[in-house]
Amino acid sequence: MRPSPTPASDRPRSPAAQFATTDRLSDYWRFYWAVAEAQISRWLPTSPSRLLDLSGPDFQGTSRAVAAGHDVVTLLPSVDAAIRWPLTLVNGRAVVPRPARRGRLRHVVGDSAFLRSFAEGSFDGVIADNRVLSRHLATEGSMAEVARVLRPGGRALLCVDSVVLGMALLAEQDYWPELSHAPSADVLLVPWPDGSITRCFTAEQLTEMVTDSGMELEWIRPRTVLSASTVEMMLARDPRSMGRLVEMEMHAAESDDYVGVHLIASVVKPV
């Protein structure tokens, strides 16, 4: 007698299924964005600043910057993509404590790869999170634009797809010849299951691109080290362990082991 097939909902998710579509209600993606918000909170300037956010309308870190007192210009692909703030319920009521100074949010429609609408040195910081630079295949040009709009001493937070993710996607789609050359490729472009193309980076390639743009690297690390299966297993055991998992991740990601599917980096424009 043949064993019953494993239900689709109980099967381990492949890298493509896990990372090609952001299921914000899944345990892993709730963890992922909690880590991202913790990372951006630590990165934000200590004094009120003018920031340019290139990360897209679904990026959840923008509200952190505004709540911390920074004025944020968010670049959107269209007027219809305006950010809608999430509703936070505390004891059944929408109670959100406000800081002494809340920043301002301004929406501007434009192409995040070309920032010609902004003058040189217009911003104290640039947030290019949510894999936006990996979706710009000519990433060097986008990085040069980020450097141009930053004032001297200004900083940028970057997030890109890693070669670890790229190789997993290539293997799943049976691109074996391409996979054999992936670790040594100067530029690794990877097709996603939805038909899009992403550019994946090693830590060394990202560092080189930053240096070539005239910027200086402050640090680089994986966004997450803990695997999706580990996170989901721990939260299934104890749904209240999210805070401990995030804190564990923040310590683990400070190592030099760049094993994550996404890399984040902080860079500064020399004075």
Side-chain angles (χ1 to χ4, degrees):
M1 183 175 179
R2 292 183 178 179
S4 300
T6 303
S9 59
D10 295 335
R11 296 172 192 161
R13 278 174 287 179
S14 66
Q18 183 70 61
F19 297 106
T21 302
T22 303
D23 178 6
R24 294 187 182 276
L25 297 180
S26 74
D27 284 340
Y28 175 74
W29 281 107
R30 289 193 300 110
F31 164 78
Y32 179 98
W33 287 113
V35 170
E37 289 188 15
Q39 289 167 336
I40 194 172
S41 293
R42 293 190 181 186
W43 176 86
L44 286 170
T46 55
S47 59
S49 304
R50 187 167 188 247
L51 306 178
L52 175 62
D53 177 21
L54 309 178
S55 310
D58 59 343
F59 178 57
Q60 298 186 352
T62 307
S63 58
R64 289 274 181 176
V66 175
H70 304 290
D71 294 334
V72 181
V73 176
T74 297
L75 210 58
L76 301 176
S78 68
V79 175
D80 297 332
I83 296 173
R84 293 174 175 81
W85 298 115
L87 178 64
T88 301
L89 297 180
V90 179
N91 295 328
R93 299 181 179 181
V95 179
V96 180
R98 291 180 176 271
R101 180 197 185 276
R102 187 177 179 86
R104 293 172 296 176
L105 176 65
R106 178 187 174 196
H107 297 150
V108 175
V109 176
D111 188 341
S112 56
F114 304 101
L115 307 179
R116 297 302 178 187
S117 299
F118 305 110
E120 182 175 346
S122 300
F123 296 95
D124 303 306
V126 174
I127 303 172
D129 207 311
N130 203 23
R131 308 175 43 246
V132 64
L133 292 178
S134 275
R135 293 193 288 264
H136 297 161
L137 304 186
T139 320
E140 291 82 359
S142 300
M143 193 68 234
E145 282 292 277
V146 168
R148 183 184 65 81
V149 300
L150 276 174
R151 65 164 177 79
R155 300 163 64 236
L157 182 68
L158 318 175
C159 175
V160 296
D161 291 336
S162 76
V163 168
V164 172
L165 175 60
M167 293 178 67
L169 292 169
L170 288 173
E172 181 172 300
Q173 298 174 82
D174 293 328
Y175 286 104
W176 299 109
E178 292 83 355
L179 180 59
S180 65
H181 296 289
S184 59
D186 292 332
V187 176
L188 180 60
L189 303 180
V190 177
W192 279 49
D194 63 2
S196 63
I197 303 291
T198 188
R199 182 170 173 182
C200 300
F201 292 84
T202 64
E204 292 74 17
Q205 289 169 338
L206 183 55
T207 301
E208 182 180 357
M209 183 180 68
V210 166
T211 303
D212 289 346
S213 71
M215 306 274 277
E216 296 177 354
L217 184 71
E218 291 186 309
W219 50 257
I220 184 170
R221 61 191 57 148
R223 164 132 292 165
T224 60
V225 173
L226 298 178
S227 68
S229 59
T230 299
V231 170
E232 291 171 351
M233 178 187 68
M234 294 298 294
L235 289 176
R237 290 181 178 178
D238 182 4
R240 298 170 298 179
S241 63
M242 179 70 79
R244 295 195 300 273
L245 282 170
V246 171
E247 190 61 30
M248 184 189 306
E249 181 64 72
M250 295 296 286
H251 289 297
E254 292 176 357
S255 70
D256 293 330
D257 190 9
Y258 303 126
V259 296
V261 295
H262 301 140
L263 298 176
I264 61 169
S266 178
V267 304
V268 61
K269 184 174 181 177
V271 177

